[in-house]
Amino acid sequence: MTKTKNLYFDTAATTPLDLRVANHMHEINKDIYGNPSSIHQTGQKAHNIVERSRKKIAELLHCKQSEIYFTSGGSESNNIALRGVLNSGDHLVTASYEHPAILDVAKYLESINIEVTYVEPNSDGIVSAEDIKKAIKSNTKLVSIMAVNNEIGTINPITQISDMCKEHEIYFHTDAVQYIGKKEINLDLSNIDMLSLGAHKFYGPKGIGAIYIKSGIAINPFIFGGGQEKGIRPGTESPSLISGMCHALEIAMNDLEKNSIHINNMENLFFELLDKTNIKYHVNGKSRLKGIINITFFDYDGHSLLLNLDMRNIAISFGSACASGTAKASPVLLSIGLNEKVASKTVRISIGKHISKNDIHSLIEALESIIK
């Protein structure tokens, strides 16, 4: 019996590891086993890989090598940014629909006498600079707004927001996990003070990420250890994970236009075919990153649709991957004005560079079969 091909339409949750990155990491794992902090030759080989990767990532993001710090991923980077600059009596401004790696940190910060204001996105799923400005107080020290929302794919005006923060002498951090590897960025020319990224969103390995911290910003570390990463993130570095992330980012940035055109074409084909069916739907959010489609199917429950597609080896998402296992309406969808009933009929379909025309046709056929 021929095994049905798995169709993966959940790249906003995580991306498949690029085989070129897997092979690259395998070679390092075979040959490089020293501790990067050791001064003997074996250790220095590992150290050189870590520092070459730091240099290349800094070049790709257009910042200084000394401003890149390696972490375990976006969640840890977000924790470092928020917990690293805020102290008792300070005020944080963030958005109500941020990733849990921001919102859960914000809840913790409130418990240690740090004030938090949660700005609501508008009905298009965008957080405006004007609304951020209205939330600023005399004790505001940090604004943290995501570059791209992970559930609805909307792109926030982070350049405008960071410029406004600079005018008010407030730090600006962005969770850019869904953005990096899909769009160009020049950190040297921006007023972004801190930026979080994770390798597994751009076809790199899981368990590795980085935080950009602009020179001159003092960070209070919340992990203590051997002093690696200038004491901001101590712990023995993994040369293969770090180099794998670097290689994945280099591939992503080199293929940026090609991937963007392909994903755009696949999304256009999806809607072209969907419009030929009698399926009633609505796409949520405007000014979206192509490939992240948050879509309401009015005649079908979202959680049931996910399960039925999964039985056909097709993966999509209901809510975000970080809240998987729950069938509750997404707080993100409620924050942009959807009611519980509509939110419960909403799923996320995210298209990656590996998706083909045949895959789109198969998805539409499955949707039509299930929903009808």
Side-chain angles (χ1 to χ4, degrees), residues 241-268:
L241 283 176
I242 288 169
S243 188
M245 172 168 66
C246 175
H247 195 48
L249 186 57
E250 194 171 6
I251 291 169
M253 298 313 280
N254 287 340
D255 293 349
L256 206 62
E257 189 177 3
K258 182 178 83 173
N259 289 344
S260 181
I261 290 169
H262 175 72
I263 289 167
N264 191 38
N265 288 341
M266 292 304 100
E267 182 176 307
N268 289 342

mmCIF file of all heavy atoms in Angstrom, residues 241-268:
data_model
loop_
_atom_site.group_PDB
_atom_site.id
_atom_site.type_symbol
_atom_site.label_atom_id
_atom_site.label_comp_id
_atom_site.label_asym_id
_atom_site.label_seq_id
_atom_site.Cartn_x
_atom_site.Cartn_y
_atom_site.Cartn_z
ATOM 1 N N LEU A 241 24.449 23.861 16.340
ATOM 2 C CA LEU A 241 23.170 24.585 16.317
ATOM 3 C C LEU A 241 23.368 26.025 15.859
ATOM 4 O O LEU A 241 22.601 26.541 15.039
ATOM 5 C CB LEU A 241 22.520 24.565 17.696
ATOM 6 C CG LEU A 241 21.831 23.276 18.148
ATOM 7 C CD1 LEU A 241 21.326 23.411 19.572
ATOM 8 C CD2 LEU A 241 20.677 22.907 17.221
ATOM 9 N N ILE A 242 24.400 26.670 16.381
ATOM 10 C CA ILE A 242 24.669 28.071 16.029
ATOM 11 C C ILE A 242 25.024 28.189 14.550
ATOM 12 O O ILE A 242 24.489 29.046 13.829
ATOM 13 C CB ILE A 242 25.778 28.649 16.937
ATOM 14 C CG1 ILE A 242 25.231 28.853 18.361
ATOM 15 C CG2 ILE A 242 26.338 29.947 16.372
ATOM 16 C CD1 ILE A 242 26.295 29.156 19.406
ATOM 17 N N SER A 243 25.905 27.308 14.089
ATOM 18 C CA SER A 243 26.292 27.347 12.677
ATOM 19 C C SER A 243 25.124 26.944 11.779
ATOM 20 O O SER A 243 24.971 27.470 10.670
ATOM 21 C CB SER A 243 27.489 26.416 12.447
ATOM 22 O OG SER A 243 27.986 26.580 11.137
ATOM 23 N N GLY A 244 24.280 26.029 12.268
ATOM 24 C CA GLY A 244 23.088 25.628 11.514
ATOM 25 C C GLY A 244 22.130 26.794 11.351
ATOM 26 O O GLY A 244 21.566 27.010 10.273
ATOM 27 N N MET A 245 21.937 27.570 12.431
ATOM 28 C CA MET A 245 21.084 28.754 12.350
ATOM 29 C C MET A 245 21.661 29.767 11.360
ATOM 30 O O MET A 245 20.929 30.335 10.539
ATOM 31 C CB MET A 245 20.943 29.410 13.732
ATOM 32 C CG MET A 245 20.228 30.755 13.692
ATOM 33 S SD MET A 245 19.743 31.406 15.316
ATOM 34 C CE MET A 245 21.344 31.713 16.065
ATOM 35 N N CYS A 246 22.967 29.967 11.434
ATOM 36 C CA CYS A 246 23.628 30.910 10.539
ATOM 37 C C CYS A 246 23.459 30.492 9.080
ATOM 38 O O CYS A 246 23.116 31.311 8.218
ATOM 39 C CB CYS A 246 25.113 30.987 10.906
ATOM 40 S SG CYS A 246 26.078 31.997 9.780
ATOM 41 N N HIS A 247 23.668 29.206 8.812
ATOM 42 C CA HIS A 247 23.557 28.683 7.442
ATOM 43 C C HIS A 247 22.121 28.813 6.937
ATOM 44 O O HIS A 247 21.884 29.211 5.787
ATOM 45 C CB HIS A 247 24.010 27.221 7.417
ATOM 46 C CG HIS A 247 24.282 26.686 6.044
ATOM 47 N ND1 HIS A 247 25.042 27.368 5.118
ATOM 48 C CD2 HIS A 247 23.885 25.529 5.430
ATOM 49 C CE1 HIS A 247 25.104 26.660 4.000
ATOM 50 N NE2 HIS A 247 24.409 25.553 4.155
ATOM 51 N N ALA A 248 21.147 28.514 7.808
ATOM 52 C CA ALA A 248 19.727 28.632 7.434
ATOM 53 C C ALA A 248 19.366 30.079 7.120
ATOM 54 O O ALA A 248 18.632 30.357 6.160
ATOM 55 C CB ALA A 248 18.839 28.105 8.563
ATOM 56 N N LEU A 249 19.874 31.021 7.928
ATOM 57 C CA LEU A 249 19.568 32.436 7.701
ATOM 58 C C LEU A 249 20.215 32.925 6.404
ATOM 59 O O LEU A 249 19.605 33.686 5.641
ATOM 60 C CB LEU A 249 20.044 33.277 8.887
ATOM 61 C CG LEU A 249 19.665 34.765 8.846
ATOM 62 C CD1 LEU A 249 18.150 34.956 8.731
ATOM 63 C CD2 LEU A 249 20.192 35.497 10.071
ATOM 64 N N GLU A 250 21.422 32.458 6.150
ATOM 65 C CA GLU A 250 22.119 32.839 4.913
ATOM 66 C C GLU A 250 21.341 32.348 3.685
ATOM 67 O O GLU A 250 21.128 33.090 2.724
ATOM 68 C CB GLU A 250 23.539 32.252 4.924
ATOM 69 C CG GLU A 250 24.441 32.839 3.876
ATOM 70 C CD GLU A 250 25.894 32.409 4.034
ATOM 71 O OE1 GLU A 250 26.199 31.553 4.893
ATOM 72 O OE2 GLU A 250 26.718 32.947 3.288
ATOM 73 N N ILE A 251 20.868 31.099 3.733
ATOM 74 C CA ILE A 251 20.064 30.544 2.634
ATOM 75 C C ILE A 251 18.769 31.342 2.477
ATOM 76 O O ILE A 251 18.377 31.713 1.370
ATOM 77 C CB ILE A 251 19.758 29.049 2.879
ATOM 78 C CG1 ILE A 251 21.040 28.203 2.757
ATOM 79 C CG2 ILE A 251 18.693 28.534 1.896
ATOM 80 C CD1 ILE A 251 20.882 26.768 3.246
ATOM 81 N N ALA A 252 18.119 31.624 3.615
ATOM 82 C CA ALA A 252 16.841 32.353 3.586
ATOM 83 C C ALA A 252 17.005 33.738 2.961
ATOM 84 O O ALA A 252 16.182 34.171 2.151
ATOM 85 C CB ALA A 252 16.272 32.469 4.997
ATOM 86 N N MET A 253 18.073 34.443 3.347
ATOM 87 C CA MET A 253 18.278 35.799 2.833
ATOM 88 C C MET A 253 18.706 35.774 1.363
ATOM 89 O O MET A 253 18.309 36.644 0.582
ATOM 90 C CB MET A 253 19.311 36.552 3.687
ATOM 91 C CG MET A 253 18.890 36.735 5.145
ATOM 92 S SD MET A 253 17.200 37.329 5.404
ATOM 93 C CE MET A 253 17.406 39.072 5.106
ATOM 94 N N ASN A 254 19.497 34.770 0.971
ATOM 95 C CA ASN A 254 19.888 34.644 -0.441
ATOM 96 C C ASN A 254 18.690 34.312 -1.328
ATOM 97 O O ASN A 254 18.615 34.743 -2.472
ATOM 98 C CB ASN A 254 20.962 33.558 -0.614
ATOM 99 C CG ASN A 254 22.319 33.984 -0.100
ATOM 100 O OD1 ASN A 254 22.582 35.175 0.054
ATOM 101 N ND2 ASN A 254 23.184 33.030 0.192
ATOM 102 N N ASP A 255 17.753 33.523 -0.772
ATOM 103 C CA ASP A 255 16.574 33.076 -1.542
ATOM 104 C C ASP A 255 15.331 33.912 -1.257
ATOM 105 O O ASP A 255 14.224 33.493 -1.599
ATOM 106 C CB ASP A 255 16.262 31.589 -1.209
ATOM 107 C CG ASP A 255 17.347 30.654 -1.697
ATOM 108 O OD1 ASP A 255 18.224 31.095 -2.465
ATOM 109 O OD2 ASP A 255 17.330 29.471 -1.300
ATOM 110 N N LEU A 256 15.516 35.053 -0.618
ATOM 111 C CA LEU A 256 14.386 35.862 -0.147
ATOM 112 C C LEU A 256 13.370 36.146 -1.254
ATOM 113 O O LEU A 256 12.173 35.880 -1.095
ATOM 114 C CB LEU A 256 14.915 37.185 0.422
ATOM 115 C CG LEU A 256 14.068 37.888 1.458
ATOM 116 C CD1 LEU A 256 13.878 37.044 2.702
ATOM 117 C CD2 LEU A 256 14.729 39.207 1.848
ATOM 118 N N GLU A 257 13.843 36.669 -2.373
ATOM 119 C CA GLU A 257 12.931 37.041 -3.462
ATOM 120 C C GLU A 257 12.276 35.804 -4.072
ATOM 121 O O GLU A 257 11.068 35.778 -4.295
ATOM 122 C CB GLU A 257 13.684 37.835 -4.536
ATOM 123 C CG GLU A 257 12.745 38.427 -5.583
ATOM 124 C CD GLU A 257 13.468 39.269 -6.616
ATOM 125 O OE1 GLU A 257 14.700 39.368 -6.573
ATOM 126 O OE2 GLU A 257 12.777 39.823 -7.494
ATOM 127 N N LYS A 258 13.085 34.767 -4.299
ATOM 128 C CA LYS A 258 12.562 33.525 -4.892
ATOM 129 C C LYS A 258 11.478 32.907 -4.008
ATOM 130 O O LYS A 258 10.397 32.544 -4.489
ATOM 131 C CB LYS A 258 13.715 32.524 -5.090
ATOM 132 C CG LYS A 258 13.306 31.220 -5.746
ATOM 133 C CD LYS A 258 14.497 30.305 -5.943
ATOM 134 C CE LYS A 258 14.806 29.523 -4.688
ATOM 135 N NZ LYS A 258 15.854 28.502 -4.879
ATOM 136 N N ASN A 259 11.757 32.806 -2.708
ATOM 137 C CA ASN A 259 10.780 32.226 -1.776
ATOM 138 C C ASN A 259 9.517 33.075 -1.697
ATOM 139 O O ASN A 259 8.397 32.553 -1.653
ATOM 140 C CB ASN A 259 11.388 32.086 -0.377
ATOM 141 C CG ASN A 259 12.441 30.999 -0.295
ATOM 142 O OD1 ASN A 259 12.533 30.149 -1.176
ATOM 143 N ND2 ASN A 259 13.260 31.035 0.737
ATOM 144 N N SER A 260 9.707 34.393 -1.662
ATOM 145 C CA SER A 260 8.578 35.316 -1.555
ATOM 146 C C SER A 260 7.648 35.191 -2.763
ATOM 147 O O SER A 260 6.425 35.128 -2.617
ATOM 148 C CB SER A 260 9.112 36.748 -1.423
ATOM 149 O OG SER A 260 8.053 37.649 -1.293
ATOM 150 N N ILE A 261 8.230 35.131 -3.944
ATOM 151 C CA ILE A 261 7.430 34.995 -5.180
ATOM 152 C C ILE A 261 6.688 33.666 -5.183
ATOM 153 O O ILE A 261 5.497 33.594 -5.500
ATOM 154 C CB ILE A 261 8.328 35.135 -6.432
ATOM 155 C CG1 ILE A 261 8.817 36.593 -6.573
ATOM 156 C CG2 ILE A 261 7.588 34.693 -7.705
ATOM 157 C CD1 ILE A 261 9.915 36.791 -7.600
ATOM 158 N N HIS A 262 7.390 32.596 -4.806
ATOM 159 C CA HIS A 262 6.781 31.258 -4.808
ATOM 160 C C HIS A 262 5.616 31.185 -3.818
ATOM 161 O O HIS A 262 4.526 30.710 -4.171
ATOM 162 C CB HIS A 262 7.826 30.195 -4.457
ATOM 163 C CG HIS A 262 7.251 28.818 -4.321
ATOM 164 N ND1 HIS A 262 6.810 28.078 -5.401
ATOM 165 C CD2 HIS A 262 6.994 28.065 -3.219
ATOM 166 C CE1 HIS A 262 6.322 26.929 -4.977
ATOM 167 N NE2 HIS A 262 6.423 26.890 -3.651
ATOM 168 N N ILE A 263 5.842 31.668 -2.590
ATOM 169 C CA ILE A 263 4.788 31.610 -1.565
ATOM 170 C C ILE A 263 3.600 32.474 -1.975
ATOM 171 O O ILE A 263 2.438 32.071 -1.804
ATOM 172 C CB ILE A 263 5.365 32.014 -0.186
ATOM 173 C CG1 ILE A 263 6.287 30.900 0.333
ATOM 174 C CG2 ILE A 263 4.256 32.293 0.830
ATOM 175 C CD1 ILE A 263 7.146 31.282 1.518
ATOM 176 N N ASN A 264 3.874 33.624 -2.545
ATOM 177 C CA ASN A 264 2.811 34.512 -3.036
ATOM 178 C C ASN A 264 1.988 33.812 -4.122
ATOM 179 O O ASN A 264 0.747 33.871 -4.120
ATOM 180 C CB ASN A 264 3.440 35.804 -3.579
ATOM 181 C CG ASN A 264 2.393 36.873 -3.850
ATOM 182 O OD1 ASN A 264 1.437 37.016 -3.104
ATOM 183 N ND2 ASN A 264 2.569 37.599 -4.938
ATOM 184 N N ASN A 265 2.682 33.135 -5.042
ATOM 185 C CA ASN A 265 1.987 32.401 -6.117
ATOM 186 C C ASN A 265 1.129 31.273 -5.555
ATOM 187 O O ASN A 265 0.003 31.038 -6.020
ATOM 188 C CB ASN A 265 2.994 31.836 -7.121
ATOM 189 C CG ASN A 265 3.623 32.912 -7.994
ATOM 190 O OD1 ASN A 265 3.075 34.011 -8.112
ATOM 191 N ND2 ASN A 265 4.762 32.614 -8.591
ATOM 192 N N MET A 266 1.645 30.557 -4.555
ATOM 193 C CA MET A 266 0.900 29.449 -3.959
ATOM 194 C C MET A 266 -0.335 29.971 -3.200
ATOM 195 O O MET A 266 -1.402 29.361 -3.252
ATOM 196 C CB MET A 266 1.794 28.630 -3.005
ATOM 197 C CG MET A 266 2.915 27.850 -3.688
ATOM 198 S SD MET A 266 2.345 26.706 -4.979
ATOM 199 C CE MET A 266 2.685 27.674 -6.456
ATOM 200 N N GLU A 267 -0.180 31.114 -2.530
ATOM 201 C CA GLU A 267 -1.320 31.707 -1.822
ATOM 202 C C GLU A 267 -2.390 32.157 -2.826
ATOM 203 O O GLU A 267 -3.585 31.927 -2.619
ATOM 204 C CB GLU A 267 -0.874 32.891 -0.955
ATOM 205 C CG GLU A 267 -2.030 33.495 -0.186
ATOM 206 C CD GLU A 267 -1.638 34.615 0.770
ATOM 207 O OE1 GLU A 267 -0.738 34.396 1.611
ATOM 208 O OE2 GLU A 267 -2.252 35.695 0.684
ATOM 209 N N ASN A 268 -1.951 32.791 -3.912
ATOM 210 C CA ASN A 268 -2.898 33.232 -4.952
ATOM 211 C C ASN A 268 -3.646 32.049 -5.562
ATOM 212 O O ASN A 268 -4.858 32.118 -5.802
ATOM 213 C CB ASN A 268 -2.174 34.007 -6.053
ATOM 214 C CG ASN A 268 -1.701 35.372 -5.580
ATOM 215 O OD1 ASN A 268 -2.182 35.878 -4.575
ATOM 216 N ND2 ASN A 268 -0.749 35.957 -6.286
#
